[in-house]
């Protein structure tokens, strides 16, 4: 309907969950609206660090997700009996980066696309000291994204975690650059 001038997508975790089999799955087309719009698209990888896999009882009931992804051997964040997340591993993070790059590379005006990466934690769970802290997995995502993403798409690495004013300012600055 032409109501939006730009898209800011800070928590696209449902995109990765589609490929990993998690509960927050939104489908492979989760990023398509932003890519097909030909408008500025500012994106962050928040949520790519976890797989929603609760309730916890599924772990002991032969659940296919728990078995196929070997979730019981991973870092888990158990908020309660229903909300359980497992940490994504380096191979999964690479696959997510490949799929994300494939979608973003299809944007008709790549100079309008900005990926903002908070280096010290892509979610509140993956900050240093957090239950999903895993810098090697996060680095695997960033390295793969840099390799696969069209060079016309700007990657902005911010030396902080996602829940800071510094990250918010970097996001606004990226939007302003895209709108010029």
């Amino acid at each position: 309907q032409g109501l939006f001038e730009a898209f800011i997508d800070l928590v696209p975790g449902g995109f990765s969950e589609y490929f990993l089999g998690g509960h927050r799955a939104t489908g492979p087309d989760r990023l398509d609206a932003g890519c097909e719009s030909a408008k500025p698209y500012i994106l962050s990888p928040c949520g790519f660090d976890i797989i929603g896999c609760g309730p916890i009882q599924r772990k002991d009931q032969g659940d296919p997700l728990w078995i196929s992804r070997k979730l019981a051997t991973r870092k888990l964040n158990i908020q309660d009996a229903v909300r359980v997340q497992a940490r994504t591993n380096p191979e999964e993070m690479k696959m997510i980066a490949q799929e994300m790059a494939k979608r973003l590379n299809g944007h008709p005006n790549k100079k309008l696309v900005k990926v903002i990466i908070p280096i010290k934690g892509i979610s509140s769970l993956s900050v240093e000291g957090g239950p999903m802290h895993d810098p090697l997995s996060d680095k695997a995502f960033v390295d793969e994204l840099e390799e696969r993403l069209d060079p016309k798409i700007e990657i902005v690495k911010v030396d902080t975690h996602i829940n800071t004013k510094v990250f918010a300012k970097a996001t606004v600055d990226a939007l302003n650059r895209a709108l010029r």
Side-chain angles (χ1 to χ4, degrees):
Q1 296 174 347
L3 299 175
F4 296 101
E5 294 297 319
F7 292 90
I8 297 178
D9 194 355
L10 298 181
V11 188
F15 175 74
S16 62
E17 294 258 348
Y18 170 79
F19 297 101
L20 301 175
H23 297 311
R24 300 174 303 141
T26 56
D29 57 351
R30 169 67 172 78
L31 307 182
D32 291 355
C35 291
E36 294 170 358
S37 71
K39 294 184 183 227
Y41 190 20
I42 314 306
L43 186 70
S44 174
C46 183
F48 292 171
D49 54 341
I50 60 173
I51 304 169
C53 58
I56 192 66
Q57 293 85 358
R58 293 177 67 185
K59 178 179 85 143
D60 301 318
Q61 295 174 342
D63 183 86
L65 175 63
W66 280 82
I67 293 168
S68 68
R69 297 252 174 233
K70 299 180 176 112
L71 299 182
T73 66
R74 301 187 190 201
K75 290 180 180 182
L76 297 175
N77 181 49
I78 303 172
Q79 292 176 280
D80 55 41
V82 176
R83 294 179 295 162
V84 179
Q85 298 96 24
R87 175 62 211 217
T88 47
N89 62 37
E91 293 76 28
E92 291 163 342
M93 292 295 278
K94 285 181 182 180
M95 185 271 302
I96 295 164
Q98 291 167 10
E99 293 295 334
M100 181 177 165
K102 189 184 312 179
R103 300 316 187 281
L104 296 180
N105 287 343
H107 194 285
N109 188 346
K110 291 162 191 58
K111 292 192 181 283
L112 298 179
V113 181
K114 315 288 183 204
V115 180
I116 315 298
I117 300 175
I119 298 301
K120 293 185 177 175
I122 61 174
S123 80
S124 61
L125 299 174
S126 63
V127 298
E128 187 172 354
M132 299 299 178
H133 183 66
D134 183 353
L136 293 177
S137 291
D138 293 345
K139 183 178 181 336
F141 172 83
V142 173
D143 290 349
E144 190 72 19
L145 188 66
E146 287 178 325
E147 183 177 316
R148 304 241 179 202
L149 206 57
D150 188 301
K152 294 176 190 146
I153 295 175
E154 181 182 5
I155 296 176
V156 179
K157 295 179 190 174
V158 186
D159 191 29
T160 188
H161 60 79
I162 194 165
N163 292 328
T164 65
K165 290 179 182 179
V166 172
F167 178 80
K169 182 176 182 333
T171 302
V172 170
D173 290 347
L175 176 62
N176 286 333
R177 282 192 307 282
L179 290 171
R180 285 188 213 143

